[in-house]
Amino acid sequence: MAHVLGFQEIDQSQVAIVGGKGAHLGELSRIDGVSVPAGYCVTTEAFRRAVSAVPSLADLLTQLSHLDPNDREAVGALSAKVREAVAAIAVPGDLAAEITGRDEAVAYAVRSSATAEDSPTASFAGQHDTYLNVVGPESVLDHIRLCWASLFTDRAVTYRLRNGFDQRRVTMAVVVQRMVVPDVSGILFTADPVTSNRRITSVESSFGLGEALVSGLVNADIHKVRDGEIVDRTIATKQLAIRATPEGGTRQEAISPESQRQPALTDAQVLRLAQVGRQIEAHFGRPQDIEWCLADGEFQIVQSRPITTLFPIPPTDDQDNHVYVSVGHQQMMTDAMKPLGLAFWQMTTPRPMAEAGSRLFVDVTQILAAPASREAYLSIIEADPLIKDAMQTVLDRDGFLPPPPENNSPTLGSGGVSVPMIDPDPAIVDELIAHSQASLAAVKRDIRTKSGPDLFDFILEDFPELRRVLFDPRSHQVFMTAMDAAHWLNKQMREWLGEDNAADVLTQSVPHNITSEMGLALLDVADVIRPFPEVVAFLRDVEDDGFLDSLTGLAGGSEARDAILDYLDKYGARCVGEIDITRTRWSERPSSLVPVILGNVDNFEPGASRRRFEQGLQEAQQEEQRLLGLLRDLPDGEEKAAETKLMIDRLRTFIGYREYPKYGLVCRYLVYKQALMAEADRLVRDGVLHDREDIFYLRFQELHEISRTGKADERLIRERKEQFSVDQALTPPRVLTSEGEAINGTYRRDHVPDGALVGLAVSTGTIEGRARVVLDMTDAHLEAGDILVTTFTDPSWSPLFVTISGLVTEVGGMMTHGAVVAREYGLPAVVAVADATRLIQDGQRIRVNGTSGYIEILP
């Protein structure tokens, strides 16, 4: 195998031989009209040959692969040993001759090129070393060894440990490229790195070598180019440049005061460079991050890599502009969903959905284009100010949306039509719940006999019944009545009494709220377990899901087991991210509940469930009497009080039911999933699939076809797994355009304390306490009075709400799960707080103002 390859001998298929940088330079060299400084790659085979001469390295790399990435001291010590051994390698004479005899340039840039870097799925930019202006053959060899050693810097080793790359399998190629001594250099992004807009090219430039810009020593000029025009420019004060020295290496050079504010590039040069960028992007088929330099009036491209942080754009079959709204932000599930989960949710909901980054989006372009439907839609999303603000950003742009259609009527279904409120009658809710339970019982009974293709036919035939129950017009009328009553109460109490958020306290301890009942029921489970020390001690060491069967041998174990099983029988269909049918349910992993049960055992006295409910009920009744008393003292007071009493009754009778349709849906999902997993086990037994969870990476129809034919596409499953792994790291925007622009919206609010984090007030009151930043419910170790800070909550988080004193989330709206349950439990809550889990540190003392919608970090 070759040890040295010229750029013209290299293409994109040779990443394993020449690394990411080398493969990209080979491809760049093949593009007509793109100038790339000549050079060659010292291949991974040369690295392997040199390393194999040092037997002790194999053992060191094995040790390195088993380190904890968080153990910085161990990583640092062992990495240093490996680097020292690699840097001391003696390059064999024939290999040295092959390397240094390839080119006769005076000076070179010597760059590392690891086999995993600059790939579409991972960007290792800056993880390995680069050396500029390396003069002379011996110096080139020395710096090649240093590049090999840089494969094992602390940061590179830690990066690989965190991202699952095996230290023993990574190899290093090295790029040796003729040194260009530029007048100007910089970086070109073919998509705006701030907004992700694919139509905008961003050109960053500074005098001298690009190292000054990359290392942050100078601010760059920034030009934004769109459709061949410069649409924005920022000219920086550039006080120094890095220049090559004749003897090798580089030095800093001060820029004369009169030149510091001069643009590094002319407008014509910016536009020419932007064209080159688009040409390179077209070749690679995706947005690029390009390093360039300008020497003797000619642009030279020294590197190009994919931009891996951009959120994908939903595919379309036209070139029109589109506006998409995130489904995940409305469903409190912004995580990536596996293909089977995406398919089931699309089959569940009647509105067509677009996909991007393993998330779902609704195309609202036509809704926004028509004034009537636009007004109706904006009124619906009023509860989420960030989405509304993001939408307004798009609406304010002339010419982005298509002209209004001739039929200018609302296209939102019932969402655009006023729903008349109904009188408070608990029998309506009881009837809806009974219908849902009967329908669920029927599908449980009938699915038992189905397998193979008949199972898939059965599920398809059952979906109309699922949608009938989920979208029952009476259900919609019930919770719309409750929401309208809450809106009326907040509006009128503010107008008549000057009271803000009056409905919040009135929703405490309402009937029929399956989600808040779920949290209280786990307190009852703790009451059963608490009297048995042997059971409590056993649960503290639980690590797997077979613990339930082991309980029966302990004093009180049978009682504990029965209590947990009864709980799972009713609530076991729930889990984090429950709208994704592929997520592991509590009934499938009951150990996930153990930390919460133990927290309840430790933090509460017996009977806490009943007391908690009674306290909330009493506070709601007292608030009702207080408001009605104040109203009766007003002009027309009796009339105002009577109208308010009706609204309070509507609110309390119906608001709890809002959580039930989703509960019925996830229970049905579990029925489907259990049958599908049995089918997956059959396919594994028959050798069609390797693993039962392979079905998660297939669409419903694809899985149906595999069940029918007994043939599966292993390559497709593998590619789907790899893509899902990539998409998991992406953060979906609230609003996305067809230009790739990710818009998250901003709050436009005055009278917020300096330094406060702003969000949406969803549950009134102010509370101070210790912030507990929790990203995974199973890692939650809460004490009474803690304030929960997390990305989002869905119903599976409800058992934690009985412990906490307040709630902060990054995602949410006025009527989303966390807000509803926080109000019912009387917890001050602020949601939709951008970057809350990053800006608030675990253990910090914070103040949550759930009335005005902000969080203060306290000393």
Side-chain angles (χ1 to χ4, degrees), residues 17 47 86 95 115 129 144 164 167 192 217 275 326 366 399 468 582 697 744 787 800 831 855 859:
I17 301 171
F47 172 83
V86 173
L95 179 56
T115 53
D129 288 348
I144 287 172
Q167 310 288 345
D192 191 318
L217 293 175
Q275 286 181 328
S326 165
Q366 295 304 318
R468 185 192 70 77
T582 71
Y697 299 92
N744 281 302
I787 297 171
L800 300 181
V831 303
I855 297 98

Side-chain angles (χ1 to χ4, degrees), residues 10-32:
I10 297 167
D11 61 34
Q12 193 65 43
S13 67
Q14 293 168 288
V15 172
I17 301 171
V18 297
K21 281 193 181 73
H24 279 92
L25 283 166
E27 286 289 333
L28 285 167
S29 300
R30 296 165 179 268
I31 305 174
D32 290 339

Side-chain angles (χ1 to χ4, degrees), residues 198 310-316 324-329 333-339 342 346 353-363 699 723-724 726-733 735-738 740-742:
R198 308 313 201 264
L310 299 176
F311 198 84
I313 305 172
T316 62
Y324 305 95
V325 177
S326 165
V327 172
H329 283 83
M333 220 300 270
T334 55
D335 293 347
M337 296 174 69
K338 296 184 179 74
L342 292 169
Q346 288 171 301
M353 294 184 186
E355 286 185 34
S358 295
R359 276 85 169 181
L360 294 170
F361 294 82
V362 175
D363 188 337
R699 301 283 175 167
Q723 187 60 53
F724 178 75
V726 173
D727 292 344
Q728 279 183 298
L730 299 174
T731 300
V735 174
L736 181 66
T737 73
S738 50
E741 186 174 7

Side-chain angles (χ1 to χ4, degrees), residues 3 15-22 41-51 86 111-117 124 127-131 143-153 156 160 167-175:
H3 293 119
V15 172
I17 301 171
V18 297
K21 281 193 181 73
C41 285
V42 181
T43 67
T44 55
E45 182 60 25
F47 172 83
R48 287 193 189 93
R49 181 181 168 192
V51 167
V86 173
R111 305 174 187 269
S112 62
S113 184
T115 53
E117 73 180 342
F124 283 67
Q127 296 293 335
H128 307 118
D129 288 348
T130 289
Y131 300 94
H143 285 86
I144 287 172
R145 282 192 291 263
L146 290 174
C147 282
W148 287 344
S150 78
L151 187 60
F152 304 103
T153 61
R160 288 194 295 270
Q167 310 288 345
R168 295 161 296 189
R169 300 187 66 175
V170 292
T171 54
M172 176 72 81
V174 180
V175 170

Side-chain angles (χ1 to χ4, degrees), residues 324-652:
Y324 305 95
V325 177
S326 165
V327 172
H329 283 83
Q330 298 167 72
Q331 290 295 329
M332 296 302 95
M333 220 300 270
T334 55
D335 293 347
M337 296 174 69
K338 296 184 179 74
L340 189 64
L342 292 169
F344 262 87
W345 193 251
Q346 288 171 301
M347 292 161 66
T348 298
T349 54
R351 179 172 291 174
M353 294 184 186
E355 286 185 34
S358 295
R359 276 85 169 181
L360 294 170
F361 294 82
V362 175
D363 188 337
V364 294
T365 313
Q366 295 304 318
I367 291 172
L368 295 177
S373 57
R374 179 194 313 148
E375 184 178 349
Y377 181 70
L378 291 178
S379 69
I380 291 172
I381 64 170
E382 186 116 29
D384 191 327
L386 292 179
I387 289 183
K388 186 173 183 181
D389 184 78
M391 282 295 172
Q392 197 60 53
T393 300
V394 176
L395 291 169
D396 290 342
R397 292 177 181 161
D398 292 336
F400 187 84
L401 292 171
E406 293 184 11
N407 176 18
N408 188 24
S409 60
T411 57
L412 301 179
S414 60
V417 179
S418 177
V419 176
M421 285 198 275
I422 53 178
D423 290 330
D425 180 1
I428 299 172
V429 176
D430 292 334
E431 183 181 343
L432 287 167
I433 291 173
H435 283 172
S436 177
Q437 290 175 341
S439 179
L440 182 64
V443 74
K444 282 182 178 179
R445 180 192 66 233
D446 296 342
I447 205 170
R448 290 172 185 161
T449 60
K450 309 300 180 184
S451 63
D454 288 346
L455 171 62
F456 295 90
D457 292 336
F458 174 84
I459 292 174
L460 281 175
E461 291 166 4
D462 187 64
F463 256 92
E465 173 65 8
L466 176 154
R467 288 189 286 266
R468 185 192 70 77
V469 174
L470 184 61
F471 301 112
D472 189 323
R474 295 173 303 163
S475 282
H476 185 71
Q477 193 173 19
V478 162
F479 53 72
M480 284 304 297
T481 294
M483 292 167 65
D484 288 345
H487 178 75
W488 186 95
L489 285 164
N490 284 334
K491 179 173 179 290
Q492 294 306 132
M493 295 308 102
R494 185 181 304 113
E495 180 181 327
W496 290 341
L497 298 174
E499 302 263 355
D500 286 329
N501 308 322
D504 288 3
V505 176
L506 297 170
T507 58
Q508 291 182 200
S509 298
V510 294
H512 299 119
N513 190 324
I514 190 73
T515 303
S516 59
E517 290 169 4
M518 180 172 71
L520 296 177
L522 208 56
L523 286 173
D524 295 333
V525 173
D527 285 353
V528 173
I529 291 170
R530 191 180 292 106
F532 303 108
E534 196 175 349
V535 172
V536 174
F538 172 80
L539 291 177
R540 293 197 192 280
D541 294 327
V542 162
E543 294 182 356
D544 60 58
D545 293 303
F547 74 95
L548 286 172
D549 292 333
S550 302
L551 281 171
T552 53
L554 306 175
S558 295
E559 293 90 331
R561 180 177 182 273
D562 290 346
I564 295 172
L565 287 175
D566 287 345
Y567 185 87
L568 292 173
D569 186 55
K570 186 169 186 180
Y571 304 111
R574 313 222 82 150
C575 66
V576 175
E578 62 190 10
I579 68 168
D580 182 350
I581 196 172
T582 71
R583 289 294 192 101
T584 303
R585 310 284 142 173
W586 288 345
S587 59
E588 296 171 315
R589 187 177 295 160
S591 61
S592 60
L593 288 175
V594 170
V596 188
I597 294 172
L598 290 173
N600 289 345
V601 169
D602 294 338
N603 292 321
F604 295 96
E605 296 295 324
S609 169
R610 183 185 65 259
R611 287 194 304 274
R612 186 71 179 259
F613 186 85
E614 290 298 328
Q615 179 185 344
L617 182 60
Q618 186 176 18
E619 289 175 3
Q621 290 171 344
Q622 290 172 348
E623 179 69 357
E624 176 181 328
Q625 293 307 311
R626 187 183 73 84
L627 292 173
L628 295 178
L630 292 172
L631 290 171
R632 291 189 182 102
D633 292 336
L634 299 177
D636 301 321
E638 289 298 333
E639 183 179 334
K640 288 184 171 76
E643 192 174 6
T644 300
K645 171 62 174 168
L646 175 62
M647 291 298 181
I648 292 172
D649 289 347
R650 282 174 171 163
L651 177 68
R652 290 194 57 80

Side-chain angles (χ1 to χ4, degrees), residues 68 75 92 262 269 292 464 518 576 595 657 678 685 701 779:
D68 179 349
V75 169
Q262 290 295 313
Q269 288 172 329
W292 56 271
M518 180 172 71
V576 175
Y657 175 74
R685 287 194 303 272
Q701 293 295 351
D779 294 332

